[in-house]
Amino acid sequence: MYADIEGKRITLSTICHIVQGMPFMEFIAGSLSGALGLAVGHPLDTVKVRLQAQSVYTGIFHCMSKTYSKEGLHGFFKGMAFPVLTTGITNSVVFGSYSNALDHLTQSQQGGRGHGKAASAAQVFTAGCFSGLMQVGAYAPIDLVKVRLQNQTGVGRYRGPVHCVAVILREEGPRGLFRGGLAVALRDVPCYGLYFLPYEVTRKALTRSGEEPGTFATIMAGGLAGVVTWSFATPMDVVKARLQMSGAGGREYRGVLHCIAASYREEGLRVFYKGLLLNSLRAFPVNAVTFLSYESLMSLYCPPPR
Protein backbone atom coordinates (compact mmCIF):
# COMPACT_ATOMS: atom_id res chain seq x y z
CA MET A 1 0.00 0.00 0.00
CA TYR A 2 1.23 3.48 -0.75
CA ALA A 3 0.15 7.07 -1.28
CA ASP A 4 1.46 9.73 -3.65
CA ILE A 5 2.22 12.99 -1.84
CA GLU A 6 3.52 15.83 -4.02
CA GLY A 7 4.71 13.30 -6.57
CA LYS A 8 6.57 11.15 -4.03
CA ARG A 9 5.54 7.57 -3.26
CA ILE A 10 5.10 7.09 0.50
CA THR A 11 4.71 3.48 1.60
CA LEU A 12 2.74 2.32 4.65
CA SER A 13 5.97 1.17 6.27
CA THR A 14 7.54 4.59 5.76
CA ILE A 15 4.53 6.34 7.29
CA CYS A 16 4.69 4.03 10.30
CA HIS A 17 8.33 4.81 10.89
CA ILE A 18 7.64 8.53 10.61
CA VAL A 19 4.91 8.43 13.27
CA GLN A 20 6.57 5.83 15.44
CA GLY A 21 8.36 8.57 17.35
CA MET A 22 4.92 9.27 18.83
CA PRO A 23 3.51 6.77 21.32
CA PHE A 24 0.15 6.17 19.60
CA MET A 25 0.84 2.76 18.07
CA GLU A 26 2.64 1.49 21.17
CA PHE A 27 -0.25 2.66 23.34
CA ILE A 28 -2.86 0.86 21.20
CA ALA A 29 -0.87 -2.38 21.03
CA GLY A 30 -0.04 -2.22 24.73
CA SER A 31 -3.69 -1.66 25.60
CA LEU A 32 -5.00 -4.70 23.72
CA SER A 33 -2.16 -7.01 24.76
CA GLY A 34 -2.57 -6.03 28.41
CA ALA A 35 -6.28 -6.90 28.43
CA LEU A 36 -5.58 -10.30 26.88
CA GLY A 37 -2.82 -11.09 29.36
CA LEU A 38 -4.90 -10.07 32.35
CA ALA A 39 -7.87 -12.19 31.28
CA VAL A 40 -5.61 -15.25 31.02
CA GLY A 41 -4.13 -14.90 34.51
CA HIS A 42 -6.94 -13.45 36.63
CA PRO A 43 -8.16 -16.67 38.33
CA LEU A 44 -4.68 -17.46 39.69
CA ASP A 45 -4.23 -13.80 40.57
CA THR A 46 -7.34 -13.97 42.76
CA VAL A 47 -5.92 -16.93 44.69
CA LYS A 48 -2.58 -15.13 45.03
CA VAL A 49 -4.18 -11.95 46.36
CA ARG A 50 -6.22 -13.85 48.94
CA LEU A 51 -3.18 -15.78 50.13
CA GLN A 52 -1.22 -12.57 50.56
CA ALA A 53 -3.88 -10.43 52.20
CA GLN A 54 -5.60 -13.03 54.41
CA SER A 55 -4.10 -15.46 56.92
CA VAL A 56 -7.01 -17.93 56.97
CA TYR A 57 -5.65 -20.14 54.19
CA THR A 58 -3.04 -22.84 54.76
CA GLY A 59 -1.92 -22.94 51.14
CA ILE A 60 -2.81 -22.71 47.46
CA PHE A 61 -5.11 -25.73 47.29
CA HIS A 62 -6.86 -24.81 50.54
CA CYS A 63 -7.58 -21.34 49.17
CA MET A 64 -8.79 -22.74 45.84
CA SER A 65 -11.08 -25.31 47.47
CA LYS A 66 -12.54 -22.77 49.91
CA THR A 67 -13.14 -20.29 47.12
CA TYR A 68 -14.83 -22.87 44.92
CA SER A 69 -16.97 -24.39 47.69
CA LYS A 70 -18.26 -21.00 48.87
CA GLU A 71 -18.40 -19.00 45.64
CA GLY A 72 -18.13 -21.44 42.73
CA LEU A 73 -16.15 -20.62 39.59
CA HIS A 74 -17.40 -17.05 39.76
CA GLY A 75 -15.26 -16.50 42.85
CA PHE A 76 -12.06 -16.81 40.82
CA PHE A 77 -13.13 -14.04 38.47
CA LYS A 78 -14.12 -11.46 41.08
CA GLY A 79 -12.88 -8.01 40.24
CA MET A 80 -11.83 -8.94 36.69
CA ALA A 81 -14.17 -6.69 34.70
CA PHE A 82 -12.75 -3.44 36.05
CA PRO A 83 -9.04 -4.13 35.38
CA VAL A 84 -9.79 -5.71 31.97
CA LEU A 85 -11.65 -2.57 30.94
CA THR A 86 -9.01 -0.24 32.38
CA THR A 87 -5.76 -2.19 32.03
CA GLY A 88 -5.44 -0.73 28.57
CA ILE A 89 -4.64 2.58 30.25
CA THR A 90 -1.83 1.21 32.40
CA ASN A 91 -0.40 -1.27 29.91
CA SER A 92 -0.44 1.25 27.09
CA VAL A 93 1.46 3.65 29.35
CA VAL A 94 3.99 0.91 30.18
CA PHE A 95 4.70 -0.16 26.61
CA GLY A 96 4.41 3.33 25.15
CA SER A 97 6.71 4.85 27.77
CA TYR A 98 9.22 2.02 27.48
CA SER A 99 9.39 2.02 23.70
CA ASN A 100 9.74 5.78 23.42
CA ALA A 101 12.15 6.08 26.37
CA LEU A 102 14.36 3.38 24.85
CA ASP A 103 14.20 5.09 21.49
CA HIS A 104 15.24 8.35 23.15
CA LEU A 105 18.07 6.75 25.12
CA THR A 106 19.52 5.06 22.06
CA GLN A 107 19.07 8.29 20.06
CA SER A 108 17.56 6.32 17.20
CA GLN A 109 17.25 8.28 13.99
CA GLN A 110 14.78 5.87 12.40
CA GLY A 111 12.32 5.54 15.29
CA GLY A 112 11.09 2.31 16.75
CA ARG A 113 12.62 -0.38 18.86
CA GLY A 114 14.99 -2.60 17.01
CA HIS A 115 15.50 -0.26 14.02
CA GLY A 116 17.98 2.20 15.45
CA LYS A 117 21.12 1.94 17.53
CA ALA A 118 21.32 -1.26 19.60
CA ALA A 119 20.34 -0.67 23.20
CA SER A 120 22.64 -1.58 26.08
CA ALA A 121 21.45 -3.47 29.16
CA ALA A 122 21.64 -0.25 31.19
CA GLN A 123 19.46 1.59 28.68
CA VAL A 124 16.87 -1.20 28.64
CA PHE A 125 16.78 -1.26 32.45
CA THR A 126 16.47 2.54 32.66
CA ALA A 127 13.68 2.65 30.08
CA GLY A 128 11.88 -0.13 31.96
CA CYS A 129 12.17 1.73 35.28
CA PHE A 130 10.82 4.85 33.61
CA SER A 131 7.81 2.94 32.26
CA GLY A 132 7.13 1.54 35.74
CA LEU A 133 7.19 5.01 37.24
CA MET A 134 4.88 6.42 34.56
CA GLN A 135 2.15 3.86 35.13
CA VAL A 136 2.00 4.04 38.95
CA GLY A 137 -0.48 6.93 39.07
CA ALA A 138 -2.98 5.16 36.80
CA TYR A 139 -2.36 1.65 38.10
CA ALA A 140 -2.58 2.21 41.88
CA PRO A 141 -6.34 3.06 42.06
CA ILE A 142 -7.26 0.33 39.56
CA ASP A 143 -5.29 -2.29 41.46
CA LEU A 144 -6.74 -1.14 44.78
CA VAL A 145 -10.29 -1.72 43.55
CA LYS A 146 -9.33 -5.09 42.04
CA VAL A 147 -7.70 -6.31 45.26
CA ARG A 148 -10.63 -5.26 47.44
CA LEU A 149 -13.14 -6.97 45.18
CA GLN A 150 -11.01 -10.12 44.98
CA ASN A 151 -10.83 -10.34 48.76
CA GLN A 152 -14.59 -10.36 49.16
CA THR A 153 -15.93 -13.78 50.13
CA GLY A 154 -19.66 -14.29 50.23
CA VAL A 155 -21.72 -11.10 50.50
CA GLY A 156 -19.25 -8.21 50.62
CA ARG A 157 -19.48 -4.51 51.27
CA TYR A 158 -18.87 -3.63 47.62
CA ARG A 159 -21.51 -4.32 44.98
CA GLY A 160 -19.08 -3.75 42.13
CA PRO A 161 -16.15 -1.59 40.98
CA VAL A 162 -18.14 1.65 40.72
CA HIS A 163 -19.66 1.13 44.16
CA CYS A 164 -16.22 0.27 45.53
CA VAL A 165 -14.78 3.53 44.22
CA ALA A 166 -17.74 5.46 45.64
CA VAL A 167 -17.33 3.87 49.09
CA ILE A 168 -13.59 4.59 49.15
CA LEU A 169 -14.15 8.22 48.14
CA ARG A 170 -16.87 8.65 50.75
CA GLU A 171 -14.98 7.01 53.61
CA GLU A 172 -11.36 7.87 52.81
CA GLY A 173 -11.48 10.69 50.30
CA PRO A 174 -9.56 10.85 46.98
CA ARG A 175 -6.37 10.00 48.83
CA GLY A 176 -7.88 6.63 49.73
CA LEU A 177 -7.74 5.53 46.08
CA PHE A 178 -3.96 5.61 46.33
CA ARG A 179 -3.68 3.49 49.49
CA GLY A 180 -0.63 1.29 49.00
CA GLY A 181 0.62 3.55 46.21
CA LEU A 182 4.11 3.84 47.68
CA ALA A 183 4.39 0.05 47.80
CA VAL A 184 3.23 -0.08 44.18
CA ALA A 185 6.00 2.36 43.22
CA LEU A 186 8.65 0.49 45.24
CA ARG A 187 7.61 -2.72 43.51
CA ASP A 188 7.07 -1.51 39.95
CA VAL A 189 9.84 1.00 39.28
CA PRO A 190 12.79 -1.42 39.68
CA CYS A 191 10.81 -4.49 38.61
CA TYR A 192 9.77 -3.06 35.27
CA GLY A 193 13.46 -2.50 34.61
CA LEU A 194 13.97 -6.20 35.33
CA TYR A 195 10.86 -7.02 33.30
CA PHE A 196 12.14 -5.71 29.99
CA LEU A 197 15.79 -6.66 30.45
CA PRO A 198 15.41 -10.48 30.39
CA TYR A 199 12.84 -10.09 27.63
CA GLU A 200 15.22 -8.24 25.33
CA VAL A 201 18.20 -10.50 26.19
CA THR A 202 16.28 -13.77 25.74
CA ARG A 203 14.56 -12.63 22.57
CA LYS A 204 17.88 -11.65 21.04
CA ALA A 205 19.55 -14.91 22.12
CA LEU A 206 16.80 -16.97 20.44
CA THR A 207 16.95 -15.02 17.18
CA ARG A 208 19.46 -15.62 14.42
CA SER A 209 21.58 -12.65 13.41
CA GLY A 210 19.91 -10.55 10.74
CA GLU A 211 16.47 -12.10 11.26
CA GLU A 212 13.33 -10.83 12.93
CA PRO A 213 12.38 -12.58 16.23
CA GLY A 214 9.87 -15.38 15.69
CA THR A 215 6.84 -16.49 17.68
CA PHE A 216 8.80 -19.01 19.76
CA ALA A 217 11.44 -16.45 20.73
CA THR A 218 8.78 -13.92 21.75
CA ILE A 219 6.78 -16.45 23.79
CA MET A 220 9.83 -17.76 25.65
CA ALA A 221 11.25 -14.28 26.24
CA GLY A 222 7.93 -12.91 27.47
CA GLY A 223 7.27 -15.87 29.76
CA LEU A 224 10.78 -15.82 31.22
CA ALA A 225 10.60 -12.06 31.76
CA GLY A 226 7.43 -12.51 33.78
CA VAL A 227 8.87 -15.27 35.98
CA VAL A 228 12.11 -13.37 36.66
CA THR A 229 10.23 -10.16 37.49
CA TRP A 230 7.80 -11.77 39.93
CA SER A 231 10.64 -13.51 41.73
CA PHE A 232 11.85 -10.06 42.75
CA ALA A 233 8.44 -8.37 42.99
CA THR A 234 6.60 -10.80 45.29
CA PRO A 235 7.86 -9.46 48.68
CA MET A 236 6.68 -5.92 47.96
CA ASP A 237 3.58 -7.33 46.29
CA VAL A 238 2.62 -8.90 49.65
CA VAL A 239 3.12 -5.56 51.41
CA LYS A 240 1.08 -3.79 48.72
CA ALA A 241 -1.86 -6.19 49.05
CA ARG A 242 -1.92 -5.86 52.85
CA LEU A 243 -1.80 -2.08 52.73
CA GLN A 244 -4.60 -2.01 50.19
CA MET A 245 -6.82 -4.10 52.48
CA SER A 246 -5.97 -1.94 55.50
CA GLY A 247 -9.16 -0.26 56.63
CA ALA A 248 -11.34 -2.53 54.51
CA GLY A 249 -11.55 -5.60 56.71
CA GLY A 250 -7.82 -6.16 56.88
CA ARG A 251 -5.38 -5.22 59.61
CA GLU A 252 -4.54 -1.55 59.96
CA TYR A 253 -1.00 -0.54 59.00
CA ARG A 254 0.54 2.92 59.35
CA GLY A 255 2.66 2.55 56.25
CA VAL A 256 5.12 0.41 54.30
CA LEU A 257 7.71 0.04 57.08
CA HIS A 258 5.08 -0.74 59.72
CA CYS A 259 3.52 -3.37 57.45
CA ILE A 260 6.91 -4.99 56.79
CA ALA A 261 7.85 -5.00 60.50
CA ALA A 262 4.47 -6.28 61.72
CA SER A 263 4.22 -8.98 59.05
CA TYR A 264 7.75 -10.21 59.77
CA ARG A 265 7.20 -10.22 63.52
CA GLU A 266 3.96 -12.20 63.29
CA GLU A 267 4.65 -14.59 60.41
CA GLY A 268 8.40 -14.62 59.80
CA LEU A 269 10.39 -14.11 56.62
CA ARG A 270 8.32 -16.59 54.62
CA VAL A 271 5.34 -14.22 54.70
CA PHE A 272 7.00 -12.09 52.02
CA TYR A 273 7.03 -15.01 49.62
CA LYS A 274 3.35 -15.83 49.90
CA GLY A 275 2.03 -16.26 46.38
CA LEU A 276 5.49 -16.67 44.82
CA LEU A 277 4.65 -20.07 43.31
CA LEU A 278 1.35 -18.79 41.95
CA ASN A 279 3.00 -15.64 40.64
CA SER A 280 5.55 -17.75 38.79
CA LEU A 281 2.97 -20.18 37.39
CA ARG A 282 0.76 -17.32 36.29
CA ALA A 283 3.57 -15.12 35.01
CA PHE A 284 4.74 -17.34 32.15
CA PRO A 285 1.48 -17.69 30.17
CA VAL A 286 0.25 -14.19 31.01
CA ASN A 287 3.42 -12.43 29.87
CA ALA A 288 3.94 -14.75 26.92
CA VAL A 289 0.46 -13.78 25.68
CA THR A 290 1.02 -10.11 26.50
CA PHE A 291 4.32 -9.78 24.63
CA LEU A 292 3.23 -11.97 21.70
CA SER A 293 0.07 -9.88 21.29
CA TYR A 294 2.02 -6.64 21.57
CA GLU A 295 4.70 -7.63 19.07
CA SER A 296 2.12 -9.08 16.65
CA LEU A 297 0.03 -5.93 16.75
CA MET A 298 3.06 -3.70 16.29
CA SER A 299 4.16 -5.80 13.30
CA LEU A 300 0.67 -5.56 11.86
CA TYR A 301 0.37 -1.81 12.36
CA CYS A 302 3.95 -0.97 11.47
CA PRO A 303 5.63 -3.77 9.49
CA PRO A 304 9.45 -3.55 9.33
CA PRO A 305 10.83 -1.99 6.15
CA ARG A 306 12.02 -4.37 3.45
Side-chain angles (χ1 to χ4, degrees), residues 241-264:
R242 295 190 168 203
L243 286 171
Q244 288 172 326
M245 287 304 297
S246 181
R251 172 170 175 176
E252 291 280 356
Y253 297 105
R254 295 191 298 272
V256 172
L257 293 179
H258 180 234
C259 181
I260 292 173
S263 298
Y264 176 75

Side-chain angles (χ1 to χ4, degrees), residues 3-14:
D4 287 320
I5 301 177
E6 295 183 354
K8 296 181 181 180
R9 179 171 293 185
I10 307 297
T11 66
L12 174 62
S13 180
T14 302

Side-chain angles (χ1 to χ4, degrees), residues 4 38 47 130 168 179 182 187 201-202 207 221 229 261 273 280 284 303:
D4 287 320
L38 191 146
V47 177
F130 175 75
I168 293 171
R179 185 181 289 272
L182 177 59
R187 183 195 68 174
V201 171
T202 304
T207 304
T229 302
Y273 293 93
S280 299
F284 195 95

